[in-house]
Structures are given as C-alpha cells and as structure tokens.
Amino acid sequence: MATLQKNYRNIFVIGASAGGLEAIISMVKALPDDLPAAIFIVQHMPPYAQSNLGTILQHHTNLEVKRGEDGEVVRSGVIYMASADRHLIVEDNRVVVSKGPRENRFRPAVDTLFRSASVCYRERVVGIVLSGVLNDGTSGMWTIKRYGGTAIVQDPEEAIFPDMPSGVMQYTEVDHVLRADEIGKLMGSICRERIVPTSGGAGLTDEKLLQIEIGIGKGDNGLMMGLLEHGGPSPLTCPECHGALTQFEEGHLVRYRCHTGHAHTGDSLLNSLRDNLEKSMWELMRGMEEARLLLERMADKIQEGLGDELAQQYRERALRFQRQAVDVQRMIITSDPSYSGTQLDATTKPAGE
C-alpha cells in the first residue's frame, strides 16, 4: 500500500460543476505518473446519474482512478471520485461516503469535502476549484486557508462557467490562478515541497461549529450536536425543508444552515428561493385556469336549464380568472433575471383580446 508522507502538500481536493469535465481532463493529463499524493474530486451531478468520469480519466493517466468507498484507507497515487447523491469526506486518513443533507443544493458538495480535508490534513491540503455555476467551494476554501492550506482556482477567463473560481477569489486569498493544464503541472511539483507543520486554525472563530458541520455531512444530527448554539438567528427559512435558518459568517461570506442540516451560501439560497417562488406562481396560475375552466362548464350547464343571466355571471367570473392567470404568467416571465423585454406575445393575452 502506497502511504502518504507527512509534512508534504499531498492532499488535493478538487471541486467542479458545469463545464468542469474539460478542465478536469486537462488537469489530469498534465499529472506525472508517479504523483506522491491523493486526489479527491467532487463533480456536481444529478442524484441518479451514471457518471463515466472515472473511466474517461483513466484513459488519460496511469494513476489509479476509482470511486471512493466508505471506510477505505487513503492511499498515495489514487484519484478518488465522488459518487452520485453521496458526499465524499475524509476523516482519520479514511474515506467517508455519506448521504448527509445537501449543501448549496448539491450532494456531493464541494464545501463538504473541503472542510473535512482541512481538519484532517490541515496545511497539507491543496484546494482546487474549477469551472462551475454559483459558489460551492467558496466556504470550504476559506476553511482550507485558515488551516494553512493552499488555494488554487482555474483562471475565470478559461473556465466555461467562471462563477465558482470567481466566488473563491472574491472571498478568499488565492495562491494561484492558472489554466487547467497548468494546475496539473503545479500539482506535480508542489506535492514534493516539504512544509513546516503549524497548529492550524488561524482565523477560525468557532472550531466546534466546524466539527458539527463535518458531522452533519456524514449524516449526524445537527440539532442533537448543538448546531443552534452557534451562529445567529435569521428571518429566513430553508427552501428544502422550511426549517428556520441559522446565519454564519466566514470573513465577508455569509451563509446559512437549518437544524436538519441543509446548508446554503447567500447565492445558492437566493436561487433556491427563486425556484420555489416560480413553482408557487405556476401553481397559482394553474389554480386560476382550473377555476376558469370549471366556471365555463358550469355556465354551459346553467344556460341549458336556468337561462342566460346566471350563465353570463359565471362567464364573467371565468374571464376575470383568465386575466389574472395571464398576469401571473407575465410576472413569471418578467421576474427571470435573463428577461429581455421581448418575450411576451399573444399567447399571454386572454382569449378574445
């Protein structure tokens, strides 16, 4: 078994999302075959996806590429891949695979991996964030830096989706901004440089909270672990379970977690709330259109036996519901951040107008 040497930066944790496949391949192709390090990769994916990423990467490297298995010992020269719908965590020099609560709308989540690695390996950790949307990885990278680790991001100018590397650069001091292939080359050299161990945790205000959050990622109960004793109250609720959100601050980054464990940065929370709001508006529109259809059918039946006056009242009420449904549909369209002002047409007008 190839063991990891202490006092070297030989733990690489990598996070990617949309557009990350190309960057991961470029990075892995540049790695030396005798890399004396362990690599952990979280690539966002749908919960029930069957990913071929490991097979693809194996075609570009002689390092072993495998899915992380719960309880296995971390070995040098291995690339560990996260599985769909499971967090990838490291603890006590072993891999932990869990179905803890989603973080930033994802499982596996980059922040979950980064936090666990920083506590386990401290200054030996090198965090790498590649192309992706929103800012999963920003909080985890902040923790890596607090423990003396190294922060590397893909150059946003090269990234297909620059949100994730840009988010790290906004909230955390970054050591290297490089193209994906340059990151692979740097990994081959930085892991051979001897480092001086430190006590770690510089700038951390609540190490107990960090332990609780790692436990939540593993599937432990955050409420029973005392999560509510940390952070501060907020007027917001979790978009996933509707529980009250507690607010935490890491430097200038504000993030939230509910007592059941779901975690959000401000950006991911805003996107979740927007999605839920749109869903509610479509349901409201559906209800109005169903009321319109019912009233029209009632009017047809009433006209057959009770005359035109009552039927006309029903049809007028149906028309009001139709107009209100159109107003809601317009609101849905215009509330989208990408709305250009040219997407409303005759299909959003009530019939006969």
Side-chain angles (χ1 to χ4, degrees):
M1 179 184 296
T3 58
L4 291 162
Q5 295 186 30
K6 296 182 178 180
N7 302 334
Y8 289 88
R9 298 191 190 278
N10 51 14
I11 300 295
F12 294 101
V13 288
I14 300 165
S17 187
L21 175 59
E22 296 85 349
I24 293 172
I25 292 174
S26 295
M27 180 189 65
V28 168
K29 288 171 66 175
L31 294 174
D33 292 339
D34 61 344
L35 186 78
I39 300 174
F40 301 84
I41 299 179
V42 164
Q43 164 80 35
H44 291 160
M45 65 188 85
Y48 302 106
Q50 294 294 325
S51 174
N52 292 323
L53 179 57
T55 303
I56 293 171
L57 292 184
Q58 195 66 81
H59 291 315
H60 298 287
T61 180
N62 287 325
L63 298 172
E64 180 183 357
V65 182
K66 67 186 303 293
R67 294 190 185 280
E69 298 180 25
D70 190 50
E72 69 175 306
V73 176
V74 176
R75 295 178 288 128
S76 178
V78 179
I79 300 176
Y80 297 93
M81 307 293 303
S83 299
D85 204 33
R86 296 292 187 273
H87 288 309
L88 181 64
I89 296 170
V90 289
E91 184 180 57
D92 297 330
N93 206 40
R94 291 184 179 273
V95 176
V96 177
V97 178
S98 77
K99 196 171 182 178
R102 280 188 289 266
E103 182 156 358
N104 300 319
R105 305 170 51 154
F106 293 108
R107 184 177 52 226
V110 180
D111 280 338
T112 305
L113 169 63
F114 281 19
R115 283 194 205 99
S116 68
S118 65
V119 171
C120 186
Y121 295 105
R122 299 180 178 264
E123 66 278 347
R124 293 169 60 187
V125 176
V126 178
I128 300 170
V129 171
L130 306 174
S131 172
V133 295
L134 299 180
N135 57 359
D136 189 20
T138 298
S139 173
M141 190 73 89
W142 186 88
T143 303
I144 288 174
K145 289 297 295 182
R146 300 290 79 74
Y147 275 104
T150 302
I152 303 174
V153 299
Q154 182 182 9
D155 189 339
E157 293 295 323
E158 182 195 47
I160 297 176
F161 293 92
D163 286 6
M164 281 175 53
S166 296
V168 173
M169 295 173 68
Q170 180 178 357
Y171 292 103
T172 307
E173 59 274 27
V174 172
D175 298 292
H176 303 278
V177 181
L178 302 168
R179 297 194 314 269
D181 63 323
E182 294 175 331
I183 293 175
K185 295 174 183 177
L186 178 61
M187 291 168 66
S189 60
I190 197 173
C191 65
R192 304 176 195 275
E193 300 173 359
R194 193 174 183 86
I195 57 176
V196 178
T198 63
S199 58
L204 284 172
T205 58
D206 196 340
E207 290 195 60
K208 175 61 176 175
L209 171 63
L210 184 57
Q211 294 289 347
I212 291 174
E213 293 200 280
I214 293 172
I216 291 173
K218 295 189 299 178
D220 297 339
N221 188 292
L223 184 61
M224 295 178 64
M225 295 176 69
L227 177 67
L228 298 185
E229 299 172 9
H230 304 264
S234 82
L236 306 173
T237 57
C238 176
E240 299 213 33
C241 69
H242 307 297
L245 287 172
T246 300
Q247 178 176 309
F248 306 99
E249 297 183 7
E250 294 172 337
H252 297 293
L253 178 68
V254 178
R255 59 186 185 87
Y256 305 87
R257 192 182 286 272
C258 67
H259 63 76
T260 60
H262 302 111
H264 312 267
T265 61
D267 286 348
S268 71
L269 178 60
L270 181 61
N271 276 270
S272 293
L273 292 174
R274 188 177 65 196
D275 288 347
N276 287 353
L277 177 60
E278 180 179 335
K279 178 183 177 182
S280 298
M281 293 172 73
W282 284 118
E283 290 175 348
L284 175 61
M285 178 180 168
R286 182 213 68 211
M288 291 175 172
E289 290 185 333
E290 288 178 351
R292 165 206 161 191
L293 293 171
L294 177 60
L295 286 165
E296 288 176 346
R297 282 160 176 72
M298 292 173 65
D300 291 341
K301 289 294 183 181
I302 290 172
Q303 189 170 7
E304 294 175 2
L306 299 178
D308 292 339
E309 184 175 351
L310 184 57
Q312 182 60 30
Q313 292 178 9
Y314 278 23
R315 290 195 174 94
E316 289 175 356
R317 290 174 62 187
L319 182 58
R320 286 198 295 271
F321 274 118
Q322 182 179 4
R323 287 170 174 162
Q324 290 169 346
V326 168
D327 288 341
V328 172
Q329 185 177 9
R330 286 179 176 144
M331 190 179 300
I332 294 171
I333 295 173
T334 58
S335 66
D336 191 295
S338 64
Y339 172 66
S340 63
T342 61
Q343 296 166 312
L344 295 176
D345 55 26
T347 61
T348 61
K349 294 181 180 180
E353 293 190 6

